[in-house]
Amino acid sequence: MLQSYPFPAVLGADPDAPGGLDDMALALILSTISPGIGGVLVRGEKGTAKSTLVRALADLLPDIQVIAGDRFSTDPAEPQPLSPDGPFAADAAVETRPVRLVELPVGATEDRVAGSIHLERALSDGAVHFEPGLLARAHRGILYVDEVNLLHDHLVDLLLDAAAMGRLTVERDGISVTHQARFVIVGTMNPEEGELRPQLLDRFGLSVEVAAPQDPALRAEVVRRRLAFDADPEGFRSRYSLAEEALRQRISDAQERVAGVELTSAALLRIAEVCSAFGVDGMRADIVTARTAAAHAAWQGRTDITVEDLRVAARLALPHRRRRNPFDAPGLQENELDELLPPEGPEDDPEPDPGGDGGDSAESEADSTGADSGAEPGPAGGGQPAPVGAGEPFRARLFTVDGVGEGQAGRRSRARTTAGRRTGATPLAAAGAGIHLLETVRAAAPFQAVRGRAGGRLLLRAEDLRRAVREGREANLVLFVVDTSGSMAARERMRQVKTAILSLLLDAYRRRDRVAVVTFRGDGADVALPATRSVDVAARRLDDLPAGGRTPLAEGLIEAVELVRRERLRDPGRRPLLVVITDGRATSGADAVARSRRAADYVASQRISSVVVDCESGRMRMGLARTLAEHMGADHVWLAQVNAEALTDIVRGATREGAA
């Protein structure tokens, strides 16, 4: 049997060690004490023990009692159990088992997550047979979603809805099944791979930031423990068995105590004041903060709420709810919290603040990266022009890839996906979503006589099953190819260009795309940002783009095609959309214009859907960007027409003139 790493052996996860629990360990424990908190989202770079700590958490939880043979882990003490395997006899056998940790893979389908009707048995036997999904298995346990930011939005919605409601209803082909689904959901993610939408962030009860320690002594201790565990897992676990048992007992005691914690009117008023002061939307923040404060009091062995309980709850429940757009870094400054909830003195609060000051890290990182893209840069020394910041983003015009793809579900281009309107049916093994009853019956009907049917039930075989083929929208790779040469370096023009790119990045974020940036200036082209879902990283890179020098247009297009080639090998189903932002003037080399047109023809030969955003301005225009678009087989739009609202105004104006 595979041995899991002991929870107290993770640095920051032993309450008896100096410094106590860090924010991640504390948030996980509080969520198991009070599952109504709504789970935990752990944000951090790779290699920070996120998965290790989550998997170790299940070993700390007390065993549970379930009705023997029930696939839905029904509690024998439940007065009215909601299980498709019921009803159960009053003297039904009971068994005790450990709490389950159910891991949900990123590529899971909705049927795998929620469960589905066994259609073949339903048609052949005339009875409903429900095949439980991962949420049924996770009932009364922990549901762990690694890389939750890479999971499609509709599945994240499904998980969080089930976690909030405590039950799940599955409807397939007119049949409805409801079962309980109460679990602690834990999601981990690397922000470099893209963010969750603010609406989904808000659905997680608590959020914490984690990072690898920088102290060499601590890093050496991490390595020492891991090597010791790999060499002798059983012996290593035995060294922490007493600490694990003490932690397990403390959690069990807190679970029994939490219902008796008193949330006074004064405590609720303080919570409301804090949430209002931090400007969070809705009431979920207040409810989660109250539940977290009560769980922390129970964890500390108390039944009364103190200021320290409120501070811990605010630090864990509010930072991720302060975001107003995807380019805002989540975080909560400790000095802001001090003004609203001054820490108690040593005589009132002898135990140090568990988790330290983890709320400052995201804000500090945001400050150091210069995320304020609207700031006006001052003059730079050494004769080098300072990068120009972008203006306020606008609603961007929608650009799509031609044809119908088969990529991951998103919100940009037409594609055959798991959701959308039904356009046909295919055999069960083929791509598609949702078993289609009518097409299944139609496929089986011609063979009924051969199969010996003389009446009664339909004789169905596995090869008769048909899935629905649906057309919806897919996510794409949006590759920005940006001219940052001297002809584009005029301050106001570069501001307009960066504002347009920022607006298109925001649009890509909402449509769940991956983005990449290639720039060209001087003698060549560079990949300023490899393909990523993290549009906030792209926005920060955009703010630092320098400008000046010659225009190696051909090199920029060739570098873009090469990046597309690499991404097609990595993710063949994700179709690219090339957005070239330039005035079309190629000035690098003696035959720059001819080479740029040959490069444009090369782009066209690769069948890459493209858009050329023409940045040429002034009364005397050469039309080079339009010619470039013709060679690429690309759509040609003026820079001003990237703004959807400005384009609407242009169309309305033309309509009014025509009517006049």
Side-chain angles (χ1 to χ4, degrees):
M1 181 178 178
L2 186 64
Q3 297 276 357
S4 62
Y5 198 84
F7 192 93
V10 179
L11 288 184
D14 185 355
D16 297 325
L21 296 176
D22 62 17
D23 278 355
M24 178 179 174
L26 181 60
L28 291 174
I29 287 176
L30 295 182
S31 289
T32 60
I33 293 172
S34 178
I37 287 173
V40 182
L41 176 66
V42 184
R43 299 161 42 90
E45 58 196 18
K46 52 187 175 294
T48 49
K50 300 187 298 293
S51 301
T52 299
L53 197 59
V54 173
R55 294 187 177 103
L57 177 66
D59 291 340
L60 293 179
L61 302 182
D63 291 347
I64 60 172
Q65 287 190 328
V66 298
I67 295 178
D70 177 52
R71 296 174 297 168
F72 300 86
S73 302
T74 300
D75 187 350
E78 189 80 28
Q80 294 181 330
L82 189 63
S83 170
D85 286 354
F88 305 104
D91 58 347
V94 174
E95 62 183 15
T96 301
R97 65 162 176 80
V99 168
R100 287 176 181 155
L101 172 70
V102 177
E103 298 191 35
L104 191 150
V106 171
T109 63
E110 184 173 349
D111 285 353
R112 181 74 180 98
V113 173
S116 61
I117 302 300
H118 198 302
L119 187 58
E120 183 178 0
R121 295 180 63 184
L123 293 176
S124 59
D125 299 344
V128 174
H129 294 275
F130 179 68
E131 295 293 329
L134 294 175
L135 296 189
R137 181 171 174 78
H139 177 49
R140 301 177 67 197
I142 300 171
L143 181 68
Y144 175 43
V145 188
D146 193 14
E147 304 293 353
V148 65
N149 52 328
L150 302 184
L151 199 64
H152 194 267
D153 286 352
H154 82 279
L155 285 181
V156 180
D157 281 327
L158 175 67
L159 301 180
L160 296 175
D161 279 341
M165 300 297 295
R167 64 175 59 189
L168 178 69
T169 298
V170 182
E171 296 184 343
R172 295 286 188 275
D173 300 302
I175 302 172
S176 178
V177 174
T178 300
H179 65 81
Q180 291 176 319
R182 294 194 303 270
F183 48 83
V184 176
I185 181 170
V186 180
T188 58
M189 59 175 281
N190 183 350
E192 294 180 357
E193 292 294 332
E195 291 284 358
L196 282 171
R197 290 189 290 117
Q199 298 90 330
L200 296 178
L201 276 175
D202 181 59
R203 301 292 298 279
F204 278 94
L206 308 179
S207 175
V208 294
E209 299 272 346
V210 296
Q214 297 305 310
D215 184 347
L218 293 179
R219 296 174 72 94
E221 180 61 22
V222 171
V223 175
R224 185 179 299 111
R225 293 186 186 186
R226 185 71 217 190
L227 293 177
F229 173 76
D230 292 342
D232 182 12
E234 188 172 347
F236 185 84
R237 285 190 57 85
S238 66
R239 289 162 48 189
Y240 289 90
S241 59
L242 293 179
E244 275 194 305
E245 183 55 38
L247 198 50
R248 184 180 297 109
Q249 187 58 49
R250 185 173 174 181
I251 292 174
S252 179
D253 293 343
Q255 289 174 335
E256 296 178 1
R257 187 182 297 114
V258 68
V261 174
E262 182 182 6
L263 277 163
T264 63
S265 297
L268 292 175
L269 182 59
R270 295 289 294 275
I271 291 171
E273 290 173 347
V274 171
C275 293
S276 178
F278 281 122
V280 297
D281 294 329
M283 296 300 299
R284 185 175 285 115
D286 304 62
I287 296 171
V288 172
T289 304
R291 288 173 174 166
T292 305
H296 188 263
W299 169 249
Q300 298 294 344
R302 293 182 273 98
T303 56
D304 59 304
I305 301 290
T306 67
V307 170
E308 184 56 32
D309 299 325
L310 299 179
R311 285 176 59 85
V312 170
R315 193 177 71 241
L316 299 177
L318 301 185
H320 61 298
R321 294 186 163 89
R322 303 188 68 192
R323 295 182 59 149
R324 288 295 180 268
N325 66 66
F327 305 136
D328 291 339
L332 185 149
Q333 298 257 359
E334 196 76 13
N335 58 355
E336 296 178 289
L337 193 58
D338 289 343
E339 293 178 5
L340 297 168
L341 294 170
E344 298 172 332
E347 66 278 2
D348 298 321
D349 185 25
E351 183 166 327
D353 178 17
D357 57 355
D360 289 342
S361 59
E363 291 288 341
S364 301
E365 181 180 354
D367 293 342
S368 65
T369 55
D372 184 8
S373 58
E376 183 74 13
Q384 191 69 256
V388 179
E392 189 68 23
F394 47 74
R395 184 171 68 88
R397 177 178 174 179
L398 172 61
F399 300 111
T400 62
V401 177
D402 296 335
V404 180
E406 296 183 354
Q408 294 184 6
R411 298 173 183 172
R412 182 172 297 277
S413 305
R414 292 175 55 203
R416 287 179 286 273
T417 61
T418 57
R421 64 184 183 88
R422 193 182 73 83
T423 59
T426 60
L428 183 63
I435 295 176
H436 195 264
L437 180 59
L438 178 59
E439 294 294 340
T440 297
V441 172
R442 183 176 295 168
F447 304 102
Q448 296 305 298
V450 176
R451 295 173 185 174
R453 181 188 177 199
R457 296 171 182 168
L458 185 72
L459 299 180
L460 189 71
R461 294 182 180 175
E463 59 267 24
D464 300 328
L465 298 181
R466 295 291 183 271
R467 280 193 182 275
V469 174
R470 301 186 182 277
E471 184 175 302
R473 295 283 173 176
E474 69 176 357
N476 298 110
L477 168 65
V478 181
L479 172 54
F480 296 94
V481 185
V482 186
D483 183 349
T484 58
S485 63
S487 63
M488 299 282 291
R491 189 174 187 82
E492 184 55 33
R493 182 186 298 186
M494 184 52 68
R495 179 180 292 277
Q496 293 174 4
V497 167
K498 288 190 175 182
T499 302
I501 299 174
L502 187 67
S503 303
L504 289 168
L505 283 172
L506 185 60
D507 182 67
Y509 166 82
R510 290 168 176 160
R511 300 185 189 281
R512 315 310 293 159
D513 297 318
R514 291 176 68 86
V515 297
V517 179
V518 169
T519 62
F520 56 95
R521 62 187 288 266
D523 297 325
D526 296 303
V527 178
L529 179 71
T532 177
R533 285 188 60 183
S534 185
V535 295
D536 51 342
V537 173
R540 292 198 294 269
R541 298 282 179 88
L542 168 69
D543 208 41
D544 296 331
L545 288 182
R550 293 183 177 272
T551 311
L553 180 53
E555 285 75 7
L557 295 178
I558 292 172
E559 183 64 39
V561 173
E562 177 61 20
L563 193 151
V564 168
R565 185 191 67 80
R566 293 194 299 267
E567 289 302 313
R568 279 174 168 169
L569 293 175
R570 181 179 296 127
D571 188 358
R574 190 180 294 270
R575 297 189 296 162
L577 174 64
L578 210 63
V579 181
V580 182
I581 303 175
T582 181
D583 59 7
R585 299 182 183 182
T587 60
S588 180
D591 58 345
V593 175
R595 287 193 300 108
S596 66
R597 291 179 179 176
R598 287 198 297 271
D601 292 336
Y602 178 51
V603 173
S605 70
Q606 300 301 305
R607 301 183 180 276
I608 302 174
S609 292
S610 307
V611 177
V612 174
V613 178
D614 192 341
C615 300
E616 191 175 26
S617 60
R619 298 171 62 180
M620 299 296 293
R621 298 181 179 179
M622 303 176 64
L624 297 175
R626 180 182 293 276
T627 302
L628 178 70
E630 292 173 355
H631 279 266
M632 291 175 59
D635 293 332
H636 172 267
V637 300
W638 295 103
L639 179 60
Q641 294 177 341
V642 174
N643 188 330
E645 296 173 359
L647 181 62
T648 302
D649 292 341
I650 292 172
V651 174
R652 287 174 178 169
T655 304
R656 285 195 295 268
E657 291 176 5

